[in-house]
Amino acid sequence: MTNRQILQAMSGLMAGMFVAILAGTVVANALPRIIADLGASQSSYTWVVTSELLAMTATVPLWGKLADLFNQKLLLQLSLGLFVVGSLVAGFSQDVVTLIISRVLQGIGGGGLTALAQVVMAAIIPPRRLGKYAGIFGAVFAVGTVAGPLVGGVLVDTSWLGWRWCFFIGVPFALAGIVLLQRTLKLPTIRREVRIDWLGAFLIVAGVCDLLIWTSLAGDKFDWASTETALLVGLGVVLLGLAVWVETRAKEPIIPLGIFRNRTVTLTTVASFLVGIAMFAGTVFLSQYFQVSLGKSPTVAGLMSLPMIFGLLVSSTVAGQIISATGKWKIYLVAGAIVMTAGLGMLSTIGSDTHFGLLSVYMGVMGLGVGMLMQNLVLAAQNDVDAHELGAATSVLSFFRSLGGTIGTSVLGAVLANRVSTELSKGFKDAGIPAAEGNGNSVPDMTKLPPQIKDIVEHAYGVATGDLFLVATPFAFLAIIAVLFIKEKPLKTTSGMERLAAEGGADPVVPEQATAPRDPVVPEQATAPRDAVVPGQAPAPRDAVALGKETSDSGTAPGTPRD
């Protein structure tokens, strides 16, 4: 494919990714107003965020496996369709239960977009050229992350629009993505017998959801060391243990455990999990810090995150271009992990009186590190697996990055709540003010607080946010160790579809040769290739290429196939 063809095919992918990112970020600054309007509690505040992350995390492996079995374009369009339904239900919600259910639908659609976009990129772009285009996705990620909180804040602050438009605004982009994918993305459909490991999928989703529910409720509804913790953790371990047992025996496992024999996949998976913790800590809790500790409006809070996003945009784009030009990638993984750790360490020193100039430097450093690390971990893994495992490998990395973000959000949120409660009690005691019950478990409306109490609350959230980043820093340091042990291998110069053909999979049928066999029969060979159509023999088996579908959807130029 030429650069122009790749960019055309990527247009729908970028629209889909922008939608997925927007869904997660646009509500960040709007949540306090949403929860207040619906008359919900602080626990509901957490679940509106966690429910989407949980659904996204739990379904990513299933989407990745489906990508290895079904037409990836149709799966992408299905993901966008689920997102549209979830967004409309969320926008018309009249109670918090309906809102949380709609966020689950958005999360399922977002899981498909997260996993499938990178699978499709690997299918049509060789790893050696992938860095350049990954930089474009990094730019889309940065724009979506910047635009989300900013647009959400503006919508909330605009009386004739309101928070419901935080959900409606993504619908046109999702519909545009469906149309663009239909017009520009041409992928072959491989017809073969499909067996989906539904039992394994159920056990994985149930086990992950159980543990995520535990991390969400522990420290709030019950103590970390309690009977409830023992029951939930025990159930989660049993479910995941059964999932491992089922996956080792399934013909088409959701997560092929053999993939972890690959050292690169294992190490990039560990690093992705740790990056997820750092990335979500920066995007979720900094917004609350800007509004509560620094007293900024939702719109201003969205603008204040620009230094971090600018750092991510610059590093992902520049590193991607250099990797495509030189073929060297490990140095950027190591440098990204080191810079990310340094940025988190700097952010651990912030408080309610930190100057914005200094805060901008800290955020910019963390953004530079995440930008160099996040996308190139996927590149390293995709470069080191067989083409038929691209979907599984990509979804595993996305799954563990989302899992890290979800667990990080829950655990660090508990750290924040406990630290705020302690600081508020101390502040009220020193000021001789009776501490109101529940101050540590609710987000205050800063515009309604008396000056003396407002100062105490600002100080408490400032100290707690700094401690939160201090807790996150060791996890980033572990990411340095993980990437140091990754072995650098030359980037492949063939796309996933070409590698699949070389490995014996199905490749696109050229329109002018629709009746010709996919692999020409060589007279000296004793037997025909598995998928070849041999004259005089019975019709092709079920796993041969469906010629009619391929002719209409491959987009391959006339001529001889590359292999």
Side-chain angles (χ1 to χ4, degrees):
M1 297 178 68
T2 65
N3 287 336
R4 181 177 179 179
Q5 289 172 324
I6 291 174
L7 288 173
Q8 287 176 339
M10 284 178 61
S11 60
L13 293 178
M14 287 189 287
M17 284 296 292
F18 183 76
V19 161
I21 295 163
L22 200 66
T25 59
V26 74
V27 299
N29 289 332
L31 266 179
R33 189 72 56 84
I34 294 173
I35 297 301
D37 285 355
L38 296 179
S41 63
Q42 172 64 22
S43 61
S44 300
Y45 183 104
T46 302
W47 274 105
V48 170
V49 177
T50 307
S51 59
E52 189 207 10
L53 288 174
L54 191 152
M56 181 185 296
T57 301
T59 56
V60 159
L62 183 58
W63 284 110
K65 186 59 185 179
L66 293 175
D68 290 333
L69 302 178
F70 297 104
N71 184 276
Q72 295 162 1
K73 180 169 77 174
L74 292 178
L75 291 174
L76 275 168
Q77 291 173 318
L78 176 61
S79 300
L80 286 166
L82 285 172
F83 176 85
V84 169
V85 173
S87 298
L88 292 175
V89 173
F92 289 111
S93 296
Q94 300 298 317
D95 58 78
V96 75
V97 174
T98 305
L99 179 61
I100 291 173
I101 293 173
S102 70
R103 294 287 284 172
V104 171
L105 286 175
Q106 284 187 311
I108 295 173
L113 295 168
T114 300
L116 295 169
Q118 297 184 84
V119 173
V120 172
M121 282 181 64
I124 64 176
I125 307 172
R128 181 59 190 267
R129 298 167 64 191
L130 191 58
K132 177 170 62 176
Y133 299 101
I136 297 175
F137 266 88
V140 172
F141 179 87
V143 171
T145 309
V146 170
L150 181 58
V151 170
V154 171
L155 291 173
V156 169
D157 290 338
T158 304
S159 59
W160 52 277
L161 289 173
W163 62 264
R164 296 185 185 277
W165 280 93
C166 292
F167 302 105
F168 294 148
I169 196 171
V171 172
F173 292 100
L175 295 176
I178 293 174
V179 174
L180 285 170
L181 286 170
Q182 185 63 35
R183 293 176 61 88
T184 62
L185 186 60
K186 307 297 181 183
L187 293 174
T189 299
I190 300 175
R191 301 297 187 189
R192 64 189 181 97
E193 187 176 357
V194 174
R195 290 188 177 92
I196 300 177
D197 177 23
W198 294 111
L199 178 59
F202 169 77
L203 291 171
I204 291 171
V205 171
V208 170
C209 288
D210 176 85
L211 294 178
L212 293 180
I213 289 170
W214 166 62
T215 58
S216 300
L217 299 180
D220 180 20
K221 299 300 183 182
F222 51 81
D223 293 334
W224 288 96
S226 62
T227 303
E228 291 87 347
T229 288
L231 290 174
L232 286 173
V233 172
L235 178 61
V237 170
V238 169
L239 288 171
L240 292 178
L242 288 173
V244 170
W245 183 79
V246 169
E247 293 297 272
T248 58
R249 287 159 177 76
K251 185 174 182 180
E252 293 280 3
I254 297 298
I255 299 179
L257 299 181
I259 204 172
F260 291 108
R261 297 191 189 102
N262 185 310
R263 173 177 164 180
T264 302
V265 171
T266 301
L267 291 172
T268 51
T269 297
V270 172
S272 293
F273 176 83
L274 298 168
V275 169
I277 294 176
M279 183 175 66
F280 279 87
T283 56
V284 172
F285 296 108
L286 275 176
S287 177
Q288 189 179 49
Y289 165 76
F290 295 147
Q291 293 186 59
V292 178
S293 185
L294 301 185
K296 306 300 182 182
S297 69
T299 303
V300 174
L303 291 171
M304 290 180 72
S305 63
L306 285 174
M308 181 174 65
I309 306 307
F310 181 73
L312 190 152
L313 171 62
V314 170
S315 62
S316 63
T317 305
V318 173
Q321 294 286 345
I322 297 175
I323 289 172
S324 291
T326 64
K328 302 295 183 182
W329 49 267
K330 182 176 178 179
I331 182 62
Y332 301 101
L333 293 183
V334 177
I338 292 173
V339 173
M340 181 182 71
T341 305
L344 286 170
M346 293 174 181
L347 285 168
S348 69
T349 65
I350 65 175
S352 59
D353 57 349
T354 303
H355 190 274
F356 179 66
L358 198 59
L359 185 62
S360 298
V361 173
Y362 297 165
M363 290 190 295
V365 170
M366 193 184 82
L368 286 171
V370 172
M372 281 190 282
L373 195 57
M374 183 174 62
Q375 199 66 32
N376 293 323
L377 286 170
V378 178
L379 172 64
Q382 290 177 338
N383 182 63
D384 203 31
V385 298
D386 295 334
H388 68 275
E389 293 181 326
L390 276 174
T394 305
S395 66
V396 163
L397 261 68
S398 299
F399 169 72
F400 278 96
R401 185 172 63 240
S402 296
L403 183 64
T406 307
I407 293 176
T409 300
S410 299
V411 174
L412 294 177
V415 171
L416 180 73
N418 289 334
R419 194 74 175 97
V420 165
S421 180
T422 302
E423 287 296 319
L424 286 178
S425 298
K426 180 182 175 182
F428 290 145
K429 182 179 179 180
D430 292 343
I433 301 173
E437 184 178 353
N439 267 323
N441 295 322
S442 61
V443 179
D445 185 347
M446 301 300 290
T447 61
K448 298 180 180 179
L449 294 179
Q452 187 178 13
I453 294 180
K454 182 178 179 181
D455 291 340
I456 294 173
V457 172
E458 289 178 348
H459 174 76
Y461 273 87
V463 171
T465 306
D467 287 354
L468 178 149
F469 285 108
L470 183 62
V471 172
T473 301
F475 293 100
F477 179 78
L478 292 176
I480 299 176
I481 298 175
V483 298
L484 281 173
F485 284 97
I486 297 175
K487 183 179 179 181
E488 183 165 19
K489 298 183 179 180
L491 294 176
K492 293 182 173 68
T493 57
T494 53
S495 69
M497 287 191 291
E498 292 168 335
R499 287 153 59 190
L500 185 64
E503 291 169 14
D507 58 359
V509 176
V510 182
E512 285 76 13
Q513 298 176 336
T515 57
R518 188 184 66 82
D519 292 315
V521 179
V522 181
E524 288 75 14
Q525 288 181 340
T527 58
R530 181 172 62 87
D531 291 341
V533 180
V534 182
Q537 287 188 356
R542 289 182 64 188
D543 60 347
V545 178
L547 297 180
K549 176 65 178 177
E550 291 295 319
T551 303
S552 63
D553 204 26
S554 68
T556 307
T560 304
R562 292 192 183 187
D563 62 342

